[in-house]
Amino acid sequence: MDATVSVNGHITDAAHASISVFDHGFLYGEGIYETLRTYHGAPFLYDRHLRRLRQSAALMALPVPFEDAALLADIRKTIAAHAGGLQEAYIRVLLTRGVGELSYNLAATPAPTVVIIVKPYVPPPDRTFTDGIRLSLVSVRRNHPQALNPMIKSNNLLNNALAMQEALKSGADEALMRNQAGELVECSQSNFFLVKNDAVVTPPLSGGLLPGITREFVLELADEFGVPAREERLTPDDLRMAPEAFITGTTREVTPVVRVDDLTIGSGRPGPITLRLLEQFRARADELSKRR
Ligand code: PMP
């Protein structure tokens, strides 16, 4: 593993990074995380990621033991410590309840654990953008918000992992998930959009999904460039009529979807609205990162 890791400020290579087995992040999956990436060496949309991290933490009464600027300094230090240097970095920030007795009582864990993992950012193969990817509509349903709210970007990723493993078994690149009502909500590691009557449409947060930073950014970009965009409840029937579909995510940018299981989306090639949004997304990421 070509990673450099900071555990509570102690920076090591991957092999020497460790936390206690009594960390409640490990014992109970009690923790949250953010995945960021750099463009031109700068963590992209850092403020938005930190806003979401604080929101995730608040939803599980987890104290955040750092200021945004201090964490950014630690991320930069971890990147700088990477042997051989990093062209562009993948950054994962994890915050757990910390080490304590085997108990769900918050009093058991006085100090949260902060982990920063950085490694080279390896972009998805070019063909995923030029040819599009295939999703599988999986049987695993997204967690019900009243059971485990998908708004919490939780380290407990069993729901996502089981969905993705089902998709991989059928040879797909990503798992498309429904909520308990059978509505499309999001994918195992990305948000889902389709084109409907020339508008870009994505399920509303109230359906029970992660408020993706890329999702939010793409909705704003669409607005700015005069592409009608809205949140609307979607069902699997909408896939049949959709001329285009795509997913969004920090590491996937805007990735065209050309098939869902055996169903071909539109012409089976990435659509013009999707490709325009991808181009605008990349141009804006470039521009915002160079300005720093
Ligand atoms: N949904 C889920 C379940 C995810 O894990 C991710 C990736 N973190 C996303 C959506 C996309 O979010 P973002 O655009 O913030 O990377």
Side-chain angles (χ1 to χ4, degrees):
M1 255 178 296
D2 183 17
T4 301
V5 185
S6 163
V7 179
N8 292 326
H10 179 61
I11 299 176
T12 67
D13 61 14
H16 295 92
S18 59
I19 59 158
S20 164
V21 295
F22 291 97
D23 195 294
H24 287 206
F26 174 74
L27 284 173
Y28 307 135
E30 283 197 89
I32 55 169
Y33 76 104
E34 283 294 323
T35 299
L36 298 91
R37 61 154 293 186
T38 62
Y39 287 87
H40 302 289
F44 186 52
L45 301 177
Y46 180 77
D47 295 349
R48 296 190 195 212
H49 280 281
L50 266 284
R51 202 192 318 137
R52 183 172 65 185
L53 182 136
R54 289 182 189 284
Q55 188 185 354
S56 292
L59 288 168
M60 56 175 286
L62 179 64
V64 179
F66 47 70
E67 300 294 327
D68 289 9
L71 180 75
L72 184 57
D74 283 347
I75 290 172
R76 291 212 163 108
K77 244 196 270 174
T78 314
I79 290 175
H82 189 83
L86 287 170
Q87 264 272 327
E88 298 291 3
Y90 165 102
I91 304 156
R92 195 177 183 99
V93 176
L94 302 99
L95 176 64
T96 77
R97 287 240 191 265
V99 177
E101 274 301 331
L102 295 154
S103 159
Y104 292 143
N105 194 326
L106 295 183
T109 45
T113 300
V114 183
V115 174
I116 302 166
I117 299 173
V118 303
K119 57 180 191 160
Y121 171 71
V122 181
D126 241 9
R127 68 179 150 71
T128 61
F129 298 105
T130 54
D131 298 350
I133 61 164
R134 182 177 151 211
L135 307 183
S136 180
L137 183 63
V138 295
S139 66
V140 176
R141 299 290 171 112
R142 193 71 176 109
N143 290 322
H144 192 285
Q146 285 173 305
L148 177 54
N149 195 343
M151 293 276 276
I152 306 173
K153 196 164 169 55
S154 165
N155 288 339
N156 189 327
L157 289 164
L158 193 54
N159 182 224
N160 312 58
L162 291 176
M164 185 62 187
Q165 285 150 12
E166 186 180 327
L168 286 171
K169 225 192 248 175
S170 70
D173 304 292
E174 173 57 303
L176 178 57
M177 299 174 85
R178 287 164 283 188
N179 61 15
Q180 310 293 317
E183 301 163 356
L184 304 177
V185 276
E186 64 174 331
C187 296
S188 77
Q189 302 152 79
S190 53
N191 289 108
F192 179 74
F193 286 72
L194 54 73
V195 172
K196 191 172 179 180
N197 301 329
D198 293 326
V200 167
V201 181
T202 193
L205 299 182
S206 59
L209 52 110
L210 182 81
I213 304 299
T214 321
R215 171 187 181 277
E216 177 185 271
F217 195 71
V218 163
L219 284 171
E220 290 169 13
L221 268 184
D223 232 26
E224 188 184 325
F225 287 98
V227 179
R230 61 173 189 271
E231 295 176 289
E232 182 182 306
R233 290 184 183 266
L234 296 173
T235 68
D237 278 345
D238 288 301
L239 295 170
R240 258 161 245 296
M241 304 296 290
E244 298 183 35
F246 59 90
I247 60 166
T248 61
T250 296
T251 58
R252 313 293 301 248
E253 301 179 319
V254 174
T255 299
V257 171
V258 293
R259 267 174 74 191
V260 178
D261 296 310
D262 292 331
L263 177 75
T264 301
I265 301 291
S267 65
R269 301 289 309 159
I273 296 177
T274 305
L275 290 177
R276 225 176 106 206
L277 284 171
L278 171 61
E279 193 184 324
Q280 282 153 351
F281 178 88
R282 285 181 167 164
R284 185 55 56 86
D286 209 45
E287 189 187 308
L288 287 175
S289 308
K290 274 185 180 157
R291 217 187 277 159
R292 289 175 164 260

